Amino acid sequence: MTTSLLPPSTPTGLLIGGEWSPGRARLPVVDPATLETLAEVADADVGDGLDAVSSARDAFEPWAATRPRARAEILRNAFEIMTAEIEDCARLIVLENGKAWNDAIGEATYAAEFFRWFSEEAVRVAGGFRESPGGDKTIITDHVAAGVAYLITPWNFPAAMATRKLAPALAAGCTTVLKPAEQTPLTALWVGEVLRRAGAPAGTVNIVTTSQPGPVSEAILADRRVATLSFTGSTPIGKLLLAQTAQRVLTSSMELGGNAPFLVLEGADVDEAVAGAMVAKMRNGGAACTAANRFYVHESLAEAFTGRFRAELAAMAVGPGIDRANDLGAMVSLDERDKIVGLLEQAEQDGGRLDPVGEVPEHGAFIAPHMVHDVAHGSTLTRQEVFGPVIPVVTFDDQDTAIEMANDTEYGLISYVYGRDKGVGIQVGRRLRAGMVAIDRGVLSDAAAPFGGMKESGLGREGGFHGIHEFLETRYLGVTW
Ligand code: NAP
């Protein structure tokens, strides 16, 4: 075990009732770059999950009644602590997730921003006051904390997905039970300790790490003390959880999978498009729900685009993210890497031409970037979320066909457009069925903007002015004045 690599303030227990407890069983956390065990964390069972709900429920009324300004200041403290210790957070992300150092610093910074943004939002929840059209009463609306919020996060952004839920939930006056992904629990536990140090009262933040996400979550969602679910993860698990929340008519916010198209239209600046594509595709090694998954390139630009993209990929240093010189780290696990290898084999059977770029370490969950040429729209690579450094290129000669292909998916999280000018980009962008459209940009995520998808990419929005409302109920008071 290589525990000494972890920042000294990294907890490994369950956070329940404001205390860390070791739990009854342990769960190993593996560094995908070395395949060594980094640490063992508590492996919660159903009883632990329900204890976390009890703790959150006990803390709810006092927290909801806490002055918004006081809640805001705790979140601001969390932002300050996290920012001061950003390298500790990045180190944990790199070690358990495998991503490159710069990606981890980027994620940790983005994650801390949610504490700052929602500290500002905590004091700005506005209600309404107006006469009814019939003049018989006054319509007063306010927004009240939903109650205990259950939060489930994936492994690809272990810090940012946790803070994107914890910060608005706490700002709204909800108390929380967070279940991070089994492969990346350490970062979430570290975030829990940041909140504890920032002054979050006992029971407002509870964290259960577990190897049994199904039974633990089912018991928590069936518990009448839980008011809302916020989930980020795959579409199939999201659907399964929606079926469970339907049993109790629970509100739920779902941030699910993506299949982002990246359009390079006739007349686009190829250098700019390649620079954007590098970020949209290679950030996090492609393991992002926002990752460009399929490239539609006008035939007049295809050769220049693929040639320059390939040259950029060839210049990337691949290796353990803990070495800050590396641009591309490991996938989160050997299983995840093998899933990508399987998709590449399928792509070849579908008629695609594989073009691997560069060398990667033999030991560890590494995979070389692959361009895939001659890809047909409709083949597996254009249908399935790849979650790795794979670049399928489809060429087109007609803009309307490109838009049709881009929209031809059950997903609708994000789309990218590079056009001749901003006007074309905006015109085409408005025809894309996605919750987010990046025009001449490779990255959009911002704590101040509404993040979320259309179609099977999700329900609800996180961040921006919308995020806090996922954790608030609207109440209407009718009064004869
Ligand atoms: P996943 O398999 O759906 O897992 C997500 C979370 O759900 C993990 O904490 C997982 O726990 C838990 N889980 C698994 N089975 C469960 C069950 N039966 N009941 C309750 N919880 C369960 O997704 P992933 O592979 O970690 O993450 C990748 C996916 O997340 C991709 O599809 C990606 O697009 C999506 N994602 C979406 C967004 C967005 O904002 N739209 C952001 C990031 C990622 P375990 O770890 O223990 O399995």
Side-chain angles (χ1 to χ4, degrees), residues 383-394:
R383 293 263 167 237
Q384 205 165 317
E385 189 179 32
V386 177
F387 242 54
V390 174
I391 297 113
V393 180
V394 179

Side-chain angles (χ1 to χ4, degrees), residues 152-156 161 164 179-182 210 213-214 217 231-234 237 240-241 255-258 289 385 387 413 451:
I152 305 179
T153 51
W155 50 259
N156 62 338
M161 297 304 97
R164 199 165 79 179
K179 193 214 80 62
E182 195 174 326
T210 180
S217 297
F231 172 76
T232 297
S234 61
I237 300 291
L240 187 123
L241 291 170
E255 297 291 345
L256 307 178
C289 52
E385 189 179 32
F387 242 54
L413 188 61
F451 187 107

Side-chain angles (χ1 to χ4, degrees), residues 378-448:
S379 64
T380 309
L381 276 193
T382 66
R383 293 263 167 237
Q384 205 165 317
E385 189 179 32
V386 177
F387 242 54
V390 174
I391 297 113
V393 180
V394 179
T395 55
F396 67 88
D397 60 2
D398 168 63
Q399 188 166 292
D400 285 341
T401 311
I403 294 169
E404 245 172 64
M405 292 191 290
N407 286 334
D408 178 24
T409 169
E410 67 272 33
Y411 295 104
L413 188 61
I414 185 168
S415 302
Y416 299 86
V417 189
Y418 277 78
R420 188 178 60 240
D421 53 39
K422 300 279 180 248
V424 172
I426 292 171
Q427 242 176 19
V428 171
R430 294 185 69 183
R431 291 173 63 190
L432 295 171
R433 296 288 298 160
M436 300 176 283
V437 180
I439 297 162
D440 293 347
R441 292 185 56 83
V443 64
L444 271 193
S445 302
D446 189 317

